[in-house]
Amino acid sequence: MNELLGWYGYEKLDSRETQGLNLQHFTAATSPRTSSTPDGSGSEDTSRDVSSNQGATRVLTPGTTNSETKESSPRVEDAVEQAVSFLQQGHVIAVPTDTIYGIACLAQNSTGVRKLYEIKKREQSKPIAICVADIQDIPLWGHVTVSTSVLQELLPGPVTLIFERTPNLNVQLNPTVKFVGIRIPNCSFIRCVAHSCGAPLALTSANMSSHSSTLAVEEFKDLWPDLGAVFDGGHLGENDPLRLGSTVVDLSVKGYYHIVRSGCAEETTKKILEKYHLMEC
């Protein structure tokens, strides 16, 4: 279990439903040019240096117009499309989730993965979870040891499930770890982005490692210059308990579970797993 201790640092993405999320959009001053690859990861062509995107964002709020550009905020559908475009270029973007703000890149895009580690100031030995859109996506990236019924009761929700990773996952993501944590946040926006990309997102909290998670975009202003875009869903919670992490559970051994981090849904998670006769180890 020692190899799994790094998963304690997993970020909070709770289960509060955000259907009809009121999005704002921070968009890079230079519009992206998308070049897709068959796996949805986007082109590895780095003719535009994403690391030089200093101070390139501007704020657009819902139903208002930028006083300088006269540009209105986009519809949610347009925001999803633009998020996909930035991700496919290898950018890291900030997104609202069901509870806290996260930063994300395409897990299969090595340019984005390198940038994500740099922004987080995170050691590669401390794993980053992936986010997928639907339960049927999970077996592509992890060797699933539980039934579909178990997955359906746990997800979407505030749980990170650890499985042994499959060879499909980018070797540059968590290169020293043979496991992968998989999330399906209960947030329609981020799931639509993952679905539209056709590939998993590497997703972590919008803060530097060891710092507090964030509930409003103003709380991670220091990161803005390093991001391709910031998508603002307003203030995501009213009190600090919402900053608690997801429950991280190791399901890599069939028939057993191990709680790696208690998080915000430990009791519910244990009840579901024991309902299906999994034993704690």
Side-chain angles (χ1 to χ4, degrees), residues 133-156:
D134 298 295
I135 285 173
Q136 58 262 35
D137 298 328
I138 296 176
L140 293 172
W141 315 106
H143 292 291
V144 178
T145 60
V146 295
S147 68
T148 300
S149 297
V150 173
L151 297 178
Q152 289 173 337
E153 290 209 35
L154 291 171
L155 302 169

Side-chain angles (χ1 to χ4, degrees), residues 4 7 138-145 161-167 169 177-182 250-253:
L4 297 176
W7 295 96
I138 296 176
L140 293 172
W141 315 106
H143 292 291
V144 178
T145 60
L161 306 181
I162 298 176
F163 298 110
E164 187 174 344
R165 61 192 287 162
T166 71
L169 191 61
V177 182
K178 68 178 182 179
F179 302 101
V180 61
I182 302 178
D250 175 17
L251 296 175
S252 61
V253 178

